[in-house]
Amino acid sequence: MRKPRHRTRIEPTIALINIVFLMLVFFMVASTIAPPMDRDLRLVSTSDLDGRAPPDTLVVHPDGRLTYRGEAVASAQAFYAARPEDEREVVRIVPDKALAAITLVNLARDLRASGASRVVIVTQRGLE
């Protein structure tokens, strides 16, 4: 009598890969990732808009001058004292790109010393 040979069984991984691939294709075709927009919709173009500082911010020029709503401001303390009571908690600053960092830090320190609980620096987001 002969001994039966032990055959190594090859796993059908190719069939499993094919099934998974078919399921992937099925779900990609059957579902949408995001609902499509209306074909008649035209998005707003913002390329022609003028960029300007928000009206409730303290603008700091490269030479250290302070302006608020186009009017000159003598100092950070004078700016903070002139603000209404409900707008004193958060102070927004728009610094010029060429402003020295130490000037900005000193201005923020002066505003905090005057009583502002938060000093927010408004910047332009880079899209490059």
Side-chain angles (χ1 to χ4, degrees):
M1 275 182 89
R2 292 184 174 168
K3 286 185 179 179
R5 289 185 176 174
H6 291 284
R7 289 188 180 176
T8 57
R9 251 183 110 182
I10 300 173
E11 294 292 326
T13 56
I14 299 295
L16 182 63
I17 291 172
N18 287 342
I19 291 172
V20 170
F21 179 72
L22 287 173
M23 288 176 57
L24 176 68
V25 170
F26 170 76
F27 286 115
M28 286 175 53
V29 170
S31 66
T32 57
I33 294 175
M37 293 193 316
D38 292 338
R39 294 184 192 264
D40 299 335
L41 180 66
R42 300 218 190 275
L43 297 177
V44 175
S45 173
T46 59
S47 62
D48 298 332
L49 294 178
D50 291 334
R52 58 180 179 257
D56 63 338
T57 60
L58 179 64
V59 178
V60 187
H61 299 272
D63 57 358
R65 284 183 301 120
L66 302 175
T67 57
Y68 179 69
R69 295 185 179 179
E71 300 292 323
V73 177
S75 67
Q77 292 84 2
F79 168 74
Y80 188 78
R83 290 180 66 87
E85 204 54 47
D86 59 336
E87 296 178 8
R88 288 188 174 188
E89 185 176 334
V90 178
V91 176
R92 289 179 175 78
I93 302 173
V94 178
D96 190 274
K97 184 177 182 178
L99 181 70
I102 191 68
T103 306
L104 183 61
V105 170
N106 289 336
L107 177 63
R109 186 188 64 227
D110 292 345
L111 287 168
R112 291 293 304 261
S114 296
S117 61
R118 280 184 41 202
V119 177
V120 178
I121 299 173
V122 180
T123 62
Q124 179 180 6
R125 174 183 265 180
L127 298 176
E128 299 170 31

